[in-house]
Amino acid sequence: MNIFRQSVQEEKYIIATYFLKSKTTLREAAWSLAIGQSVGNPNVRNQWETDELFENHSCIVLADEEILSQKSSGHVKIAFPVANTDFKTDGISHILCQLMGGQMDIDIVEKCHLLDLILPQSVEDKYFLGPKYGIDGIRKFTKSFDKPIFGGIVKPKIGVNSDTLLKMVQEMVDGGINFIKEDEIMSNPACCPMEERVPKIMEYLKNKNVIYSVCINSDPSSVLTKARKVAELGGNSIHVNFWSGMGVYKSLRELDLPLFIHFQKSGDKILTNKNHDYHISWNVICNLAGLMGVDFIHAGMWGGYMSDDEEDLKCTLSTLTNRGVMPALSCGMHAGLIQAINKRFGFDYMANVGGAIHGHPNGSLAGTKAIRQSIDQEHGEEYQQAITKWPVVN
C-alpha cells in the first residue's frame, strides 16, 4: 500500500498542487489528505480495504516520502483517480468535494491551499465543452476588434421598473455599448420581473450588435429553468453569480442554448482569499470556468476601488484567454483608466463599467459616450467632463 510515488499514468489521474502546513510533518498531512479524500479514514484501516481497492481508488502523493517527513509545510502534488468520478453526472461539484473537502476537518492540517489543477486531456475532451462563443464569438457578434469590448452595468442594481430599465438600456446603446449586464442583485424581483423586462429589451435590441446579460441567480433547479425561459423570450445572454453553484455553469453550457454565459464572481473571496488558511486559487476557479464553458468572467480589476496585484491579474488573464474566455475587468472602471490598463494588460478584455457611466455629470448617455471615446481614443466633450471627475491614470 505505497501511496508515495514519483509519477503516475497521467491519463488516469487529476493532478492537484497544494500548499500544506501541518502540526506534525508534511508527510503526515499529505497522507491524511490523500487517504481521507479517497478510500477512507486516514488513521484506521479495515477489513474491506484490499490491495486492489487501494491501487484503483487511492490518491497518490507525488513526492519522496522521506523528504516530506523532514518538513512541516510546503508544496505537494496529489493525484486523484479519474475512476472515482462519473464526470458526466458528478461534474465539478463532486470534483471540488474531493479536492477541498474532508482535509479541512483533520486537526493536523493547519493550512490547505489548492494552487493548481490539471485534468487528463481525454477527460477535458470527453466531458467539458468549453465556451460556446468565447472571445472570438463575442468579437464577431459585437463587431468589435482590436480594442477592449465595452461593457456596461445596470445601476441602480435593483428597484427600477421595466420601462425605466428600457430607457437606461437605450441610452447605453446610443452611447456605443457592446454589452450590458444586469447586476447580481437583480434576478427576478416583483418590480421588474424577468418575463416582463426581457421581451421589452430584446425587442429594442433586435438587429443591434449588443449582448444583454440577464441575471438568473437562483437555486440549481430554477437556474436551468430560467435559462431556458430567457432563450424563449429572445434573450442572448445570461449572468450567473457563483453562489448559484460552481457546477451550474457546466449544466448551463450542456443545455447548448443560444446564450452567452457570464460568470459573475462577487463573493468569491470566501473561496479564494490568499489570507485564508484554506482557499482555492482564483486561477483554478478561472480554469474550471473555462472548461465548463463560460464566455465571460469577471476576472478582477486594476486601478479601481478593487485593484488586484498586477502580476496576479496578468496570470489570471492568461489562464482565461488560453481557454478562450473573455475576461471582464470591473469594480471602479472609468474613462481615465482604459489606456493605462491597455498598456499593462493588452486589449483582450471587457471594460465593464457601472458607476462611471451612470454617475457622469451629464447622465448615463454622456457617461457611456465618455467610455466609448476613451476606448476609441477619440476624445470628445463627454470624455473631458468624465476625467475631471475620474482623472487619467498613467
Side-chain angles (χ1 to χ4, degrees):
M1 190 176 68
N2 178 25
I3 71 163
F4 293 88
R5 302 181 194 171
Q6 293 302 310
S7 64
V8 290
Q9 190 174 339
E10 292 180 358
E11 280 298 305
K12 292 185 176 182
Y13 292 89
I14 299 169
I15 310 297
T17 301
Y18 293 92
F19 172 81
L20 295 176
K21 182 178 179 183
S22 174
K23 289 182 180 177
T24 56
T25 66
L26 185 54
R27 183 259 178 217
E28 193 170 348
W31 165 276
S32 296
L33 195 164
I35 298 298
Q37 290 308 100
S38 57
V39 296
N41 186 304
N43 301 311
V44 181
R45 308 277 57 83
N46 65 62
Q47 62 179 320
W48 310 109
E49 296 176 354
T50 65
D51 289 344
E52 181 182 11
L53 182 145
F54 262 90
E55 184 61 32
N56 292 330
H57 297 282
S58 174
C59 288
I60 305 297
V61 181
L62 299 175
D64 185 306
E65 185 174 4
E66 182 63 30
I67 291 174
L68 296 187
S69 297
Q70 298 168 13
K71 305 192 285 187
S72 62
S73 66
H75 294 84
V76 62
K77 293 182 186 293
I78 296 182
F80 289 76
V82 168
N84 290 355
T85 302
D86 176 351
F87 289 89
K88 184 172 178 58
T89 60
D90 298 346
I92 290 295
S93 299
H94 184 57
I95 293 170
L96 288 174
C97 181
Q98 293 175 68
L99 294 168
M100 289 297 281
Q103 68 263 44
M104 264 68 87
D105 301 325
I106 299 171
D107 282 347
I108 66 163
V109 179
E110 293 186 303
K111 294 184 179 182
C112 180
H113 308 163
L114 176 57
L115 303 177
D116 192 27
L117 188 65
I118 301 173
L119 277 68
Q121 192 62 51
S122 59
V123 170
E124 290 192 15
D125 293 343
K126 185 174 182 179
Y127 296 105
F128 294 91
L129 297 174
K132 183 178 180 72
Y133 302 104
I135 292 172
D136 292 341
I138 291 163
R139 290 199 177 280
K140 183 177 179 181
F141 183 90
T142 59
K143 301 188 187 308
S144 179
F145 304 96
D146 302 322
K147 63 181 71 174
I149 298 293
F150 178 15
I153 308 168
V154 170
K155 303 286 184 181
K157 294 183 177 184
I158 198 168
V160 300
N161 61 34
S162 60
D163 290 332
T164 300
L165 178 61
L166 177 59
K167 291 176 184 175
M168 189 190 307
V169 167
Q170 289 170 335
E171 290 198 10
M172 295 166 83
V173 172
D174 287 346
I177 209 91
N178 300 128
F179 169 97
I180 299 172
K181 173 178 78 75
E182 297 176 350
D183 221 316
E184 72 274 8
I185 306 301
M186 179 77 87
S187 202
N188 198 36
C191 62
C192 196
M194 189 176 75
E195 292 194 38
E196 180 181 308
R197 72 185 190 260
V198 175
K200 282 185 181 180
I201 289 165
M202 295 315 299
E203 177 62 27
Y204 166 71
L205 291 178
K206 191 180 294 182
N207 301 320
K208 295 181 175 65
N209 304 111
V210 175
I211 297 168
Y212 185 86
S213 204
V214 179
C215 181
I216 61 169
N217 293 335
S218 46
D219 289 334
S221 60
S222 295
V223 78
L224 300 183
T225 300
K226 286 182 179 180
R228 294 187 185 97
K229 178 58 68 174
V230 169
E232 288 172 15
L233 295 172
N236 61 17
S237 180
I238 49 175
H239 158 183
V240 186
N241 180 271
F242 88 98
W243 282 117
S244 292
M246 278 296 299
V248 77
Y249 302 100
K250 183 173 184 285
S251 298
L252 287 166
R253 176 66 181 90
E254 288 170 349
L255 293 178
D256 200 27
L257 297 168
L259 300 170
F260 295 90
I261 301 172
H262 181 78
F263 180 125
Q264 210 275 346
K265 81 186 199 77
S266 292
D268 73 285
K269 287 186 173 61
I270 290 288
L271 300 177
T272 62
N273 190 317
K274 289 183 177 182
N275 295 319
H276 293 173
D277 289 342
Y278 307 97
H279 69 256
I280 303 174
S281 164
W282 175 234
N283 281 349
V284 170
I285 300 294
C286 288
N287 189 47
L288 289 175
L291 268 176
M292 288 187 284
V294 307
D295 299 290
F296 298 89
I297 188 167
H298 178 193
M301 183 57 188
W302 180 88
Y305 61 79
M306 178 173 81
S307 190
D308 294 307
D309 175 81
E310 189 171 327
E311 292 307 312
D312 286 349
L313 188 54
K314 283 179 179 176
C315 186
T316 297
L317 298 184
S318 176
T319 296
L320 292 170
T321 54
N322 285 341
R323 288 291 185 192
V325 179
M326 177 65 76
L329 300 185
S330 182
C331 288
M333 181 68 73
H334 59 77
L337 271 172
I338 302 289
Q339 297 309 318
I341 289 173
N342 290 353
K343 184 166 52 177
R344 288 166 174 81
F345 304 102
F347 54 79
D348 252 344
Y349 71 95
M350 178 165 67
N352 217 12
V353 191
I357 286 178
H358 305 296
H360 188 282
N362 286 327
S364 298
L365 175 58
T368 309
K369 288 182 176 180
I371 304 297
R372 171 49 66 198
Q373 291 164 11
S374 179
I375 290 173
D376 293 347
Q377 298 190 67
E378 297 175 356
H379 301 155
E381 179 183 356
E382 293 84 3
Y383 172 83
Q384 297 301 333
Q385 292 167 338
I387 63 171
T388 62
K389 186 170 183 177
W390 297 282
V392 172
V393 175
N394 295 313

